[in-house]
Amino acid sequence: MKKALLFLLLFQVFICTSQPIHPLEPSIDHYKDLKALSAAPIEERATLDTIKFFPKSYNAVALLYTMIRPAYLKQNQISTLKNSMEFPANSSEQTKAELEFLLNWQEKRTKEEEVRTAKVLAPIGYWPHIDIMVDHEDYDKNLEYLFFEGKTVIGDTCTSSNYPATTKLLQGITKDMRIMEFTVKYHLLRARPYELEPKLTPLQIMGSPSFASGHTLWAYLHAFTWSELIPEKRPQFLELAYEIGLSREIMGIHYPSDEEAARVLAHGMLSAMWSNPVFIADFKKAKLEWE
C-alpha cells in the first residue's frame, strides 16, 4: 500500500514538473484595437512627451520594494523584463485614443460600477511586508486578499489555512510581482492619465507611476498561476483578471496600455519562474493540493 502511494506521488510530481506553461492568449477587445494604433511620438504634440509622473508623489514604501530580494526571479530576469517594457508616447495617436476611451468611461460609468471598482476591487492587494508580523492589524485581511481569485472562482473553502503549499507559492510570486511592479514603474515614470488630461476626474489619486498597472499585474500573474494549478478553470480566472484590469480604467487611473502591458509582463514573469527549480518545487507541492 505504501509503495503504491509512493509511486502515485512520484508520478504526480513527474507530471507536475514536466507540465508546459500555457501560452499567452492574443489581445482582445479594445486592447487589441488600441494596440494597433501608432505609439510613436507626434511632433505637433511634443510638449506632452515632457510630462512624467510627479516626483512629489513618489511613494517611499513602493520604492523600497525595488530593493528587496525576489523569491523566484533572478535579478538578471528582472532586469531583462524591465528593459523589455515600453509605453506609447504621450503625444502618440494611441495615447490620444486611450485618453478619449477613459473620458468615455467617465461619462458613462454608473454608481454601481464606481462602487464595485473603487470600494470592492481597488483595496484588494497582498503586501509581503504585512506578513512579517502576525499581530499586524491587517495580517488576516492580507492573507484573505492573497486568495481573492481562488476564493472567487473556486469557493469559500479556498483559504490560506486549507491550502498551505498554495499559500507559500502565492506569497512568493506576489512578492516578486511587487518588486517587478515598482521596478518598472519607477524606471519609466509614466504620468497618470489625469496628469495628461485635465478633464479626467479619477476615483482615486495614485502614489506611483502609471506603467504598468500593478493591480492588473497581480490579477494576471495570479490568474496564470491558478490556471496552471487548476487548468480547467483557466477561462474563469482570466475573466476575473480582465475585470480587475478594466476596473482601473473605469476609475480613470490607468491607460488601457497599462493593463495590456501588465498582462504580457505577468506571463513573462511566470515563464521566467518556470525555469527556477525552487519555484518548480513549490509549484509541485501546491499542485498536489489540487489533485
Side-chain angles (χ1 to χ4, degrees):
M1 184 66 175
K2 288 184 178 179
K3 287 184 177 179
L5 290 173
L6 178 60
F7 175 79
L8 178 61
L9 176 62
L10 291 174
F11 177 75
Q12 289 173 323
V13 169
F14 171 76
I15 293 297
C16 182
T17 305
S18 59
Q19 173 182 328
I21 187 172
H22 193 286
L24 179 66
E25 286 80 0
S27 304
I28 61 173
D29 299 340
H30 63 289
Y31 300 108
K32 178 181 178 181
D33 296 337
L34 289 167
K35 195 160 68 171
L37 300 175
S38 174
I42 294 177
E43 187 174 351
E44 290 79 7
R45 300 199 289 265
T47 53
L48 290 172
D49 294 319
T50 65
I51 302 174
K52 294 185 177 181
F53 183 73
F54 299 147
K56 66 180 181 180
S57 300
Y58 287 0
N59 184 290
V61 174
L63 284 168
L64 284 173
Y65 269 100
T66 67
M67 304 167 64
I68 295 175
R69 178 178 296 181
Y72 298 130
L73 291 174
K74 306 297 184 184
Q75 288 295 343
N76 66 314
Q77 292 174 321
I78 292 175
S79 179
T80 298
L81 287 167
K82 176 192 76 173
N83 290 322
S84 71
M85 306 301 292
E86 186 177 15
F87 63 86
N90 291 349
S91 63
S92 69
E93 286 301 321
Q94 183 176 347
T95 298
K96 180 182 178 183
E98 290 188 347
L99 291 172
E100 290 172 355
F101 179 85
L102 297 181
L103 285 170
N104 184 52
W105 255 121
Q106 180 173 281
E107 190 70 26
K108 70 180 183 181
R109 68 190 177 206
T110 65
K111 183 59 66 175
E112 290 76 14
E113 286 169 332
E114 290 183 2
V115 171
R116 171 71 175 165
T117 56
K119 302 298 183 182
V120 178
L121 297 178
I124 298 169
Y126 169 82
W127 294 92
H129 68 275
I130 291 177
D131 252 0
I132 294 173
M133 304 296 292
V134 295
D135 59 350
H136 193 290
E137 63 178 352
D138 293 327
Y139 183 84
D140 292 335
K141 178 63 71 174
N142 201 43
L143 284 178
E144 183 181 331
Y145 284 158
L146 186 69
F147 272 75
F148 174 78
E149 290 191 4
K151 189 173 183 179
T152 300
V153 172
I154 298 163
D156 291 343
T157 60
C158 188
T159 63
S160 175
S161 58
N162 287 339
Y163 297 96
T166 303
T167 299
K168 183 181 180 184
L169 180 71
L170 295 178
Q171 286 174 324
I173 66 167
T174 315
K175 176 183 180 183
D176 287 8
M177 183 280 295
R178 290 299 179 196
I179 295 170
M180 180 60 71
E181 171 191 2
F182 295 118
T183 295
V184 171
K185 282 178 178 290
Y186 283 101
H187 171 61
L188 294 173
L189 295 174
R190 187 182 198 183
R192 292 280 175 171
Y194 50 82
E195 294 174 317
L196 290 188
E197 175 51 74
K199 295 178 185 176
L200 275 173
T201 304
L203 299 182
Q204 185 178 348
I205 298 298
M206 307 305 295
S208 63
S210 198
F211 188 86
S213 168
H215 240 63
T216 309
L217 185 60
W218 149 69
Y220 276 104
L221 183 58
H222 275 227
F224 292 145
T225 302
W226 277 113
S227 298
E228 302 300 342
L229 293 173
I230 314 172
E232 64 272 19
K233 296 289 187 180
R234 187 177 183 89
Q236 294 96 313
F237 283 117
L238 294 186
E239 183 180 355
L240 179 58
Y242 182 98
E243 182 198 5
I244 293 169
L246 183 62
S247 74
R248 312 306 277 175
E249 298 160 40
I250 296 172
M251 290 179 67
I253 58 178
H254 273 294
Y255 311 85
S257 53
D258 292 342
E259 321 306 337
E260 177 62 9
R263 185 181 74 94
V264 175
L265 179 57
H267 193 271
M269 288 180 64
L270 190 60
S271 298
M273 293 175 189
W274 218 254
S275 65
N276 186 333
V278 177
F279 170 83
I280 291 298
D282 286 349
F283 180 83
K284 288 190 298 185
K285 294 173 184 175
K287 181 78 170 179
L288 290 174
E289 291 184 329
W290 299 98
E291 294 296 331

